[in-house]
Amino acid sequence: MRTPLRLGAVLATTVLTASALAGCGAGSGDTIKIGAIAGLTGTFITEEVVKTAQRVFDDANDAGGINGKKIEYIVKDDAGNAERTAQVARELLDAGVVAMAGSASFTDCDVNDGLYRQQKISSVMAVGASPTCYASPQIAPVNVGPFTLLTAVALHASQKLGDKRICNFTVVLPGSEEAVKLALDKWERLSGLKLVINDLTVQQSGDLTPYILRAKEADCDAVMFNTAEQMVVPWLQAAKTQKMDDVDFLLLAPAYTDSVAKAVGGLGLNVYAGSEFEPFTSDSLANAKWRETVTRASASPTAFSQGGYLSAKFMVEVLRSVKGEITRDSVNEALKTMTPIDDPMMASPFVFGPGEAHAPNQGSKIVRLTGLKWAVVDDTFITVPND
């Protein structure tokens, strides 16, 4: 899903990492330390997330900080390694961070949820991916995530496209099977329909043609598939070979990329994808402030950088609401009692709250491949109702 870093990006990463590490031991009573875990090296690179979040915090500091104190943003690189993820979380706690914001790590939630609960430190996460991210009292991701997104794109197929025979093919990551089933069960309750095919056995490698043939033989109106570019492109190419031109193909956010559009936009298939926020390729007013910020941050304009922007923005607002000294306890209390924050980039208000689980973003907009670009289908979010 990520493009390997070129030399310039590597140098930028080095500078960012060095700056972050230098800040670990430099804190004082004059700063408010906020931590983040991200992939600055390795195969899952989320550099644009923390670069954009850093810009938001810098803007807050340039505007006078929080009650006269500067925000010190400490970013740790876990390199996509679970052992490293555990290690850097402890380093952040030792450095005295009062909260986390802008984290974007595939392993953070599963590895560190227990530590965050034990240490009572809260994380406004930029990019959550595993079920644990949405089932913790200490973590609230700003992105909608793969499970709510699965329900949303299925609702688009049944409610907007009028599809009746909907088929699902999912590559299930370890620990995610129950969350996938719950998301699909929810769609069945909301739509009154039943999936014609629900195949959760798709492997991350191998020939995809047998799955496409199964969908074709079942006469599916719509086919959902949850993976990123490496599998989506051959998936759609196999569908084109089977002449499935009248089928609606529905993808999740990992496939909503410019490179996927260029690779398969010329096939002439009906391809849709769900977005995590206001679609990042849209020049809408809702994206204006984020786009200006990500440009000044010299970061890539992606859905991930939208998450970094929003998580930092929400953290700044919460910090400004704290009365008195800003400590881990006072930030926790402010998050638990915060007034929900509306933002046009999200389908539903962001709120942390006192609950045992947090999934505040409950909606998605749908984009469609039009030629070699993604276009927003309509200007309204599909919001998944709470049970």
Side-chain angles (χ1 to χ4, degrees), residues 145-201:
F147 312 108
T148 299
L149 194 54
L150 189 59
T151 308
V153 298
L155 287 173
H156 177 72
S158 57
Q159 294 180 351
K160 302 290 185 177
L161 301 177
D163 295 323
K164 302 297 183 187
R165 298 183 61 79
I166 299 176
C167 304
N168 177 61
F169 294 84
T170 291
V171 176
V172 177
L173 299 176
S176 296
E177 184 169 353
E178 185 62 23
V180 171
K181 289 179 177 177
L182 290 173
L184 294 170
D185 288 347
K186 188 166 189 174
W187 167 75
E188 290 188 337
R189 290 197 304 276
L190 293 169
S191 68
L193 299 174
K194 291 288 183 184
L195 288 168
V196 175
I197 296 174
N198 185 21
D199 191 335
L200 306 184
T201 69

Side-chain angles (χ1 to χ4, degrees), residues 1 44 105-107 110 128-134 145-147 150 168-181 199-205 225-228 231 252 254:
M1 181 164 64
F44 181 57
S105 160
F106 261 13
T107 50
D110 291 331
S130 83
T132 305
C133 299
Y134 301 89
F147 312 108
L150 189 59
N168 177 61
F169 294 84
T170 291
V171 176
V172 177
L173 299 176
S176 296
E177 184 169 353
E178 185 62 23
V180 171
K181 289 179 177 177
D199 191 335
L200 306 184
T201 69
V202 183
Q203 301 300 303
Q204 296 197 59
S205 60
F225 194 44
N226 71 326
T227 68
M231 294 185 71
L252 301 190

